[in-house]
Amino acid sequence: AMPWRTPPQARRAGAQPDPYHVWLSEVMLQQTQVATVRSYFLDFIGKWPDVEALALAPDEAVMQAWAGLGYYSRARNLKRCAEAIWFEHGGRFPRTSEQLQELPGIGAYTGAAIAAIAFDEQVAVVDGNVERVITRLNEIDVPLAKAKPRIRELVAGMTPETRPGDFAQAMMDLGATICTPRKPACALCPLRPSCGAARAGSQEAFPVKTAKAAKPVRKGAAFVARDAEGRVLLRRRAPSGLLGGMSEVPTTGWTARIDGATGAAAAPFAGQWASKGAIRHTFTHFHLDLEVWLHEGAAPTPQGGRWIALDDLGNEALPTVMKKAIQSAIPQAFALPARKQPAKKEPDQP
């Protein structure tokens, strides 16, 4: 069972889905598999059991808990959204899809999902799984990008007045488990008698997608420095943009559009930098090839830098690309369990 779902027996007894759980799970599930999200979801609600706790949490703690889920703008918007709900809406989620979409990070799909599942609004909930079901059911043979308005219209016509949230979740589950991208289990599908693609044997031709352009390859360098005590030099990325607010080892100015400098001459300070090979990391829109350089021994502290013990790296909001760079230079870097930090007492809120 998915931990964010309200069990059927509880629903029959009158329990309503928690909008905080619905919202949190829907944001986490964007571009991420259910199997991965489960542990992150449980960790989040263990740390921050309600929207108030998340709104008052330190930004760094939220980013650290998100590390590994990717698409880090989701985490920044998650925190901003929690703050908006707590400080501007009295801790209560708006109840309609339209109102929900006024909150940071909540778009048409997420707003509809929360409104339907948590508040029983009769609204079309359309994710990638539902798009696949509908295009096959109706043999929609135009590219998916152009077909979206028609798909939403068809889903709206199918959505019942009663239990629209259960219908939405059933459609998403149907796409995720039966009407899969390859080798769909049509024999088990309750919609098979009405499915045009199943009758024609053309299931895998839908949805129609335009060919993807090849991802560009960007280049740069990452500099892993260890001081005389064996600590690693980290710094904080700018709060906005790619990997905004996350921790990183010093790196050059690569972006999705331009290459960064390479070679030891681009290091944050002069010294004996040894090459530790290179890593590749794939982002949504580009590949990144990073040279990895290692400096060991006495070193200055560049502006904005801080030295972190190896067994404290697990407590940092390090994106996967930075973990790869550190691991390439220091193979044992993540062999030690993260050292637990003492709880911080938060100041009273006005």
Side-chain angles (χ1 to χ4, degrees):
M2 299 177 190
W4 47 85
R5 294 254 179 109
T6 303
Q9 60 270 27
R11 291 296 304 274
R12 287 194 291 271
Q16 287 296 111
D18 185 335
Y20 175 68
H21 289 184
V22 176
W23 165 65
L24 183 58
S25 65
E26 289 296 342
V27 174
M28 287 184 168
L29 285 165
Q30 294 168 16
Q31 307 294 330
T32 308
Q33 297 293 321
V34 169
T36 301
V37 166
R38 189 185 304 271
S39 62
Y40 279 89
F41 175 84
L42 293 173
D43 181 54
F44 258 73
I45 63 171
K47 289 183 171 75
W48 306 295
D50 53 35
V51 73
E52 175 188 4
L54 184 57
L56 303 182
D59 289 358
E60 170 61 19
V62 176
M63 296 302 290
Q64 191 277 328
W66 192 272
L69 269 179
Y71 298 90
Y72 294 99
S73 62
R74 292 183 297 167
R76 295 194 295 273
N77 284 331
L78 191 79
K79 184 65 166 63
R80 289 173 56 220
C81 186
E83 291 168 350
I85 293 168
W86 179 246
F87 293 111
E88 299 172 21
H89 294 268
R92 294 181 178 276
F93 279 79
R95 298 180 65 89
T96 70
S97 174
E98 184 176 349
Q99 292 170 334
L100 284 160
Q101 289 179 57
E102 296 175 2
L103 294 170
I106 295 186
Y109 164 73
T110 306
I114 299 168
I117 297 169
F119 302 119
D120 287 326
E121 182 181 3
Q122 187 183 11
V123 60
V125 180
V126 183
D127 70 351
N129 290 312
V130 175
E131 287 175 340
R132 187 165 55 255
V133 172
I134 296 300
T135 55
R136 289 173 175 173
L137 192 66
N138 296 277
E139 294 183 282
I140 299 175
D141 58 0
V142 299
L144 186 58
K146 294 183 178 180
K148 288 179 182 289
R150 176 58 177 158
I151 292 170
R152 184 169 298 280
E153 179 184 347
L154 289 166
V155 175
M158 296 171 66
T159 302
E161 184 177 351
T162 58
R163 299 172 61 191
D166 288 345
F167 171 80
Q169 292 177 109
M171 287 290 284
M172 290 187 281
D173 289 351
L174 181 67
T177 62
I178 293 177
C179 194
T180 51
R182 292 182 175 83
K183 297 182 179 179
C186 297
L188 302 177
C189 182
L191 299 181
R192 183 176 185 177
S194 304
C195 183
R199 285 195 299 270
S202 59
Q203 298 93 319
E204 294 191 23
F206 302 96
V208 178
K209 297 181 179 179
T210 54
K212 291 183 178 180
K215 291 183 179 181
V217 178
R218 300 300 178 208
K219 299 183 182 299
F223 298 93
V224 181
R226 295 188 73 185
D227 67 4
E229 298 177 35
R231 299 174 300 177
V232 177
L233 178 65
L234 296 182
R235 66 186 186 186
R236 185 82 56 227
R237 289 181 67 85
S240 60
L242 185 65
L243 307 179
M246 305 293 286
S247 298
E248 67 170 1
V249 297
T251 184
T252 55
W254 50 268
T255 71
R257 296 179 177 82
I258 62 172
D259 292 336
T262 55
F269 56 82
Q272 298 297 314
W273 291 92
S275 174
K276 291 296 177 178
I279 62 165
R280 168 167 284 200
H281 186 75
T282 298
F283 291 93
T284 307
H285 301 298
F286 69 105
H287 302 291
L288 175 65
D289 287 345
L290 277 183
E291 297 175 351
V292 179
W293 296 85
L294 174 66
H295 180 282
E296 297 183 287
T301 304
Q303 184 176 5
R306 52 199 172 86
W307 297 93
I308 304 296
L310 283 186
D311 56 359
D312 284 336
L313 287 176
N315 296 315
E316 290 289 324
L318 284 164
T320 302
V321 62
M322 296 303 159
K323 289 182 178 179
K324 287 181 180 179
I326 295 171
Q327 190 80 27
S328 179
I330 311 171
Q332 75 275 22
F334 298 101
L336 297 174
R339 184 163 58 194
K340 291 186 177 179
Q341 300 296 307
K344 295 181 179 178
K345 185 176 180 180
E346 293 301 312
D348 293 336
Q349 296 296 319

